[in-house]
Amino acid sequence: MTEGVTRDSVVGDGIVHEAVTDEQRSAVAAFVASVPMAAMVHSMQYEVVGANTLCEEVLDCPVEGMLGRPVADFVPLGDRASAQRIAVSVEQRYAATGTTDVGRPIGALRRVRRSDGEVVSCWMHVGISTIAGRRFIVALLDLINPVVDDTVRWRDRAERDDLTGLLRRGPLLAHVDEWIVADLPVALAFVDVDRLKSINDAHGHAAGDAVLEAAGRRLHQWSPRGSVVGRYAGDEFVFAITGGPTAIDSRSLAEAVRSAICDEPVPFESRLLEMSVSVGVAVREVGEPRDRLIRRADELMYRDKASRPT
């Protein structure tokens, strides 16, 4: 784009807004570079126009990878409505005071989504500043504020399974929902631990718990960047991954999951317990909703289980 030239864009409210100029972007870059904590700046139309290197550390994403993206990309799906309410409240405060500085920012415990899909909590201060003659929303992020430690710990605990430490069903599916809303390619593996009842009957429930903990831990340790793992229910786990345009080979993925979990027996007291799993992998079809994707993976898992020796 030629220096100083603007482009127009039409947003959902039907109003035509001027695009951010190169001069304004440069001013924003200088502004965030001077801030001594993680900072992100976005337009009133929620396009990221600036961030500093401290923000890179928080979001595990280079500044260049943030610019031009919707700020919603860095907000968990379930938190987006409340995040927008905060932005509206900040704008209303700004209109009421008419200030040209980041006056009366709103501070709140918020969650942000890193580039690897991990959700982290931080204390966030959100306000409006006029930079190079244009209003921008400024968000300052603080991951180390001791005030939030207990709150973060309890919220994280509520989202994770007590035995395995993996995500519970709700938070796991929230990640999948985000990918589907963004129309990204998704592969989902349903994993079921075979013969868990027999292990419980023969060696006690503590042995079954050891097998489940090992299955979850191994799956999590193996899981590549850009994936999520959770305990779906009982002896069932779900692994989901999104990626680029490269086609996902469902059979190879199923075998990789199986190998990651079952290559070694599980030590329990003085015994080594053999473990096997049934795996069904479904790759999302164009326009396919989440529930149908899960149903297909579940059906493929049961088909795999039926084909395996009892």
Side-chain angles (χ1 to χ4, degrees), residues 3 15 23 39 74 87 91 101 103 107 112 127 130-131 148-149 151 153 156 179 181 187 230 259 268 280 282 299 310:
E3 179 72 24
I15 301 173
E23 178 184 2
F74 303 99
E91 189 169 5
D101 297 314
V112 293
T130 300
I131 305 173
V148 306
D149 284 352
T151 306
R153 187 178 300 112
D156 185 67
W179 297 339
V181 167
S259 176
F268 175 71
E299 290 170 353
T310 57

Side-chain angles (χ1 to χ4, degrees), residues 189-192 215 218-219 222 224 237 239 250-263 277-281:
F190 239 96
V191 183
D192 184 86
R218 293 173 181 179
L219 187 58
W222 165 83
F237 299 89
F239 164 84
S250 58
R251 179 170 296 181
S252 296
L253 181 56
E255 289 308 313
V257 168
R258 193 189 320 277
S259 176
I261 297 174
C262 302
D263 264 1
V277 294
S278 299
V279 184
V281 175

Side-chain angles (χ1 to χ4, degrees), residues 161-177:
D161 173 61
D162 291 336
L163 176 63
T164 64
L166 298 180
L167 290 174
R168 297 182 190 271
R169 182 189 302 192
L172 169 76
L173 295 182
H175 282 281
V176 178
D177 285 338

Side-chain angles (χ1 to χ4, degrees), residues 105-236:
I106 293 177
L109 178 65
R110 304 297 305 167
R111 300 193 305 170
V112 293
R113 186 169 66 87
R114 292 159 49 91
S115 62
D116 60 2
E118 181 184 2
V119 175
V120 296
S121 298
C122 64
W123 193 261
M124 187 180 295
H125 308 271
V126 183
I128 289 180
S129 182
T130 300
I131 305 173
R134 185 177 185 135
R135 290 185 304 155
F136 293 97
I137 293 181
V138 179
L140 306 180
L141 293 74
D142 183 4
L143 288 181
I144 60 172
N145 191 321
V147 173
V148 306
D149 284 352
D150 287 342
T151 306
V152 171
R153 187 178 300 112
W154 282 104
R155 184 167 189 170
D156 185 67
R157 182 174 178 179
E159 292 186 346
R160 294 192 176 273
D161 173 61
D162 291 336
L163 176 63
T164 64
L166 298 180
L167 290 174
R168 297 182 190 271
R169 182 189 302 192
L172 169 76
L173 295 182
H175 282 281
V176 178
D177 285 338
E178 287 189 40
W179 297 339
I180 289 177
V181 167
D183 202 27
L184 297 174
V186 180
L188 190 145
F190 239 96
V191 183
D192 184 86
V193 176
D194 296 328
R195 299 183 295 278
L196 183 65
K197 184 178 184 302
S198 297
I199 294 173
N200 286 334
D201 290 345
H203 307 291
H205 285 277
D209 286 348
V211 167
L212 290 174
E213 188 277 332
R217 172 170 39 82
R218 293 173 181 179
L219 187 58
H220 181 263
Q221 290 174 341
W222 165 83
S223 60
R225 187 182 183 88
S227 63
V228 291
V229 180
R231 187 178 180 189
Y232 195 77
D235 55 2
E236 294 180 336

